[in-house]
Amino acid sequence: MSYETICFDCDSTLSRVEGIDELARRSGRFEQVAQLTNAAMNGELALEEVYENRLSLIKPDKAAIDWLAQLYIDEVVAGARETIVQLQQQHKQVHIISGGLRQAILPLAEFLGVPPQQVHAVDIEFSEQGEYRGFDKTSPLAYSGGKAEICRRIIAGNGSVAMVGDGKTDLEAKQAGATVIGFGGIVAREAVREQADYFVVEPNLSALLSYLT
């Protein structure tokens, strides 16, 4: 089947890292935060149960976000740029939908050729000194069902949509009528393997093209 719009998760999909876990590692809170992240991605805890807790533990400042932004690019998944270019050449819209931090994802999106208005993520707030002040609690992506909500908005104007991702939250897109393609090339989660419409295990995103074009 061909889709007008393709949406990608960011962490462990476009980039090999889980951003929040890397921020936690940098701040010495890795073990606490990684347990929460895995519980959310495996569907054992609702996203809202862990989202604020993780950020409160880490308190990422602007320097940490800039560091993560570069790490996302350094750890870009094989074939990501080429896959997105090919999709765009076929006149498909490409979006990024992530529960990650928007300011860290925007440079990766620019590197991949995805316009900033097609990047859906959670804004983080800083003081004038660049210290962590909080995050946008109105963003649907900080809550369970957020990816479904964003997909509904996209589908309303763009017809058929496919969602590509590695986690339980990506499966939410099915609620909005999107086709979900599980990407297990970096992390293969059993719940996603079982519930996605399709599942790809190759570590190169170009393996997705046969499902998307």
Side-chain angles (χ1 to χ4, degrees):
M1 181 175 177
S2 182
Y3 303 92
E4 283 84 6
T5 303
I6 317 298
C7 302
F8 289 91
D9 179 34
C10 176
D11 298 38
S12 297
T13 300
L14 292 175
S15 185
R16 287 188 288 264
V17 299
E18 286 288 335
I20 196 75
D21 288 353
E22 296 305 321
L23 288 172
R25 197 190 313 275
R26 188 176 187 269
S27 69
R29 301 275 191 173
F30 176 73
E31 289 189 9
Q32 293 166 278
V33 169
Q35 288 176 356
L36 291 169
T37 300
N38 277 326
M41 291 300 98
N42 290 325
E44 297 160 11
L45 286 175
L47 182 61
E48 55 268 25
E49 291 184 60
V50 303
Y51 204 96
E52 187 166 9
N53 288 345
R54 294 184 304 185
L55 286 173
S56 296
L57 282 168
I58 301 166
K59 294 184 172 60
D61 59 12
K62 188 176 185 303
I65 295 299
D66 291 344
W67 170 84
L68 176 58
Q70 185 59 50
L71 183 63
Y72 273 144
I73 294 170
D74 292 343
E75 296 292 333
V76 68
V77 168
R81 197 172 190 176
E82 297 81 358
T83 298
I84 288 173
V85 167
Q86 189 165 336
L87 291 170
Q88 291 170 332
Q89 286 174 343
Q90 295 173 10
H91 308 292
K92 299 177 186 295
Q93 276 201 31
V94 175
H95 290 246
I96 297 173
I97 305 179
S98 172
L101 303 174
R102 180 176 169 83
Q103 289 93 324
I105 294 171
L106 283 172
L108 173 65
E110 182 178 7
F111 175 79
L112 295 172
V114 178
Q117 67 269 24
Q118 288 165 213
V119 176
H120 314 270
V122 180
D123 280 298
I124 194 168
E125 300 163 2
F126 302 110
S127 69
E128 290 183 6
Q129 293 75 34
E131 298 167 336
Y132 173 74
R133 291 190 62 179
F135 66 95
D136 179 11
K137 294 184 180 180
T138 68
S139 171
L141 291 166
Y143 301 90
S144 297
K147 290 190 177 181
E149 175 59 30
I150 300 300
C151 281
R152 285 188 192 99
R153 297 176 190 177
I154 292 170
I155 288 171
N158 294 280
S160 59
V161 172
M163 178 78 211
V164 177
D166 71 294
K168 183 78 170 177
T169 56
D170 300 301
L171 294 169
E172 296 169 355
K174 294 176 78 171
Q175 301 167 19
T179 297
V180 173
I181 302 173
F183 180 63
I186 307 304
V187 181
R189 303 183 192 278
E190 198 56 36
V192 179
R193 186 192 299 270
E194 292 173 357
Q195 297 175 48
D197 296 293
Y198 306 99
F199 192 78
V200 173
V201 295
E202 291 85 352
N204 191 307
L205 276 180
S206 62
L208 297 164
L209 287 169
S210 61
Y211 297 95
L212 299 174
T213 57

